Amino acid sequence: MQSNTFSGLFEGQNVITLQRVPSTNEYLKEELSKSTPLTEGTVIMAVDQYAGRGQKGTLWQSEPGKNLTFSMLLTPAFLDPKHQFMLTAAITLAVVHWLESVLGVVVKVKWPNDIYIGDKKIGGILIENILKGNQWKSAIVGIGINVNQTLFPDAIREHTTSVKQILHRDCQIPELLTDLCKQIGQAYFSLKAGRFETLLASYEQRLYRLGELHPFLVDGVKVAGVLDGVAETGRLRIDFNGHLVDFDIKEIAFVI
Ligand code: BTN
């Protein structure tokens, strides 16, 4: 285990680099359950994350040493749990802005927090909130970004990309991590200011397929609708011939 600190908005932010771990989200969760004292902003970064977890129980696969695979500990006690989606929106926008500065191309969000360049996924976010009653204890913000990997499994190759596939050169993972954490720190501190309407509007503007007629899978049935936006709760709003319906993540999927 290698530990170092860098100054940022989280004073003396601690980055713990693990050579090999099943999942940085799981590791952080286990440390919290053992009451290991960890300061807010602590980052667990994996060189080789061999059983990474994605949204909806999927696996997040990453070639050892090639990508950003890390989890950050946050304690957003200032947020009412009913505003959980605002944390998702703030973190997602931080990733979008950071990635645009790295790549110089437009970055979109496939709801709720897949990071897309054109029609290809470059990264994903898995935020796990730990609540006690109506009190927010902590949030584990897991982020995976394809950086120097250029070969992907057959099943995802067509719809996947990486920083290297866009810039045609290798990038330094520790430097990218430092910059991304700074961006997250800034987003987190503006979240504390509580300007939810502005945050939601910026998030909506970044939505992949916003305003477009697109096929979705609802209860196993393929239906076409226009992606209209998201509610404050984070539910996706679709316009079916002028009739607005909103969905949570388990109720709808994009047909690609
Ligand atoms: C998704 O796109 O489905 C979310 C992917 C999230 C992957 C990251 S990698 C670091 C952290 N640890 C995990 O096990 N998952 C997240």
Side-chain angles (χ1 to χ4, degrees), residues 60-63 66-69 98-99 102-103 115 117 120-124 143-153 156 159-166 171 173 176:
W60 182 259
Q61 290 173 285
S62 178
E63 209 180 309
K66 298 243 165 149
N67 301 312
L68 268 172
T69 43
W98 160 79
L99 200 51
V102 172
L103 298 175
I115 309 299
I117 311 287
K120 296 185 177 200
K121 180 165 172 171
I122 194 166
I143 299 180
I145 307 287
N146 301 327
V147 179
N148 294 323
Q149 184 169 342
T150 52
L151 297 173
F152 294 95
I156 60 167
H159 299 292
T160 305
T161 192
S162 66
V163 172
K164 185 169 180 177
Q165 284 181 326
I166 292 161
C171 287
I173 307 283
L176 292 179

Side-chain angles (χ1 to χ4, degrees), residues 103-118:
L103 298 175
V105 299
V106 172
V107 178
K108 294 275 180 179
V109 178
K110 182 161 154 278
W111 177 84
N113 43 22
D114 282 350
I115 309 299
Y116 263 59
I117 311 287

Side-chain angles (χ1 to χ4, degrees), residues 69-84:
T69 43
F70 71 97
S71 302
M72 184 189 278
L73 173 67
L74 296 177
T75 50
F78 59 90
L79 262 189
D80 188 316
K82 74 176 184 219
H83 291 135
Q84 282 181 51

Side-chain angles (χ1 to χ4, degrees), residues 23-25 49 52-55 60 70 114 121 124-125 142-144:
S23 154
T24 54
N25 270 34
Q49 176 179 255
R53 295 178 36 238
Q55 296 271 357
W60 182 259
F70 71 97
D114 282 350
K121 180 165 172 171
I125 303 171
I143 299 180

Side-chain angles (χ1 to χ4, degrees), residues 126-146:
L126 179 66
I127 302 180
E128 298 183 82
N129 296 324
I130 302 170
L131 304 170
K132 201 170 180 189
N134 200 33
Q135 186 65 30
W136 206 324
K137 298 290 281 180
S138 46
I140 296 174
V141 176
I143 299 180
I145 307 287
N146 301 327

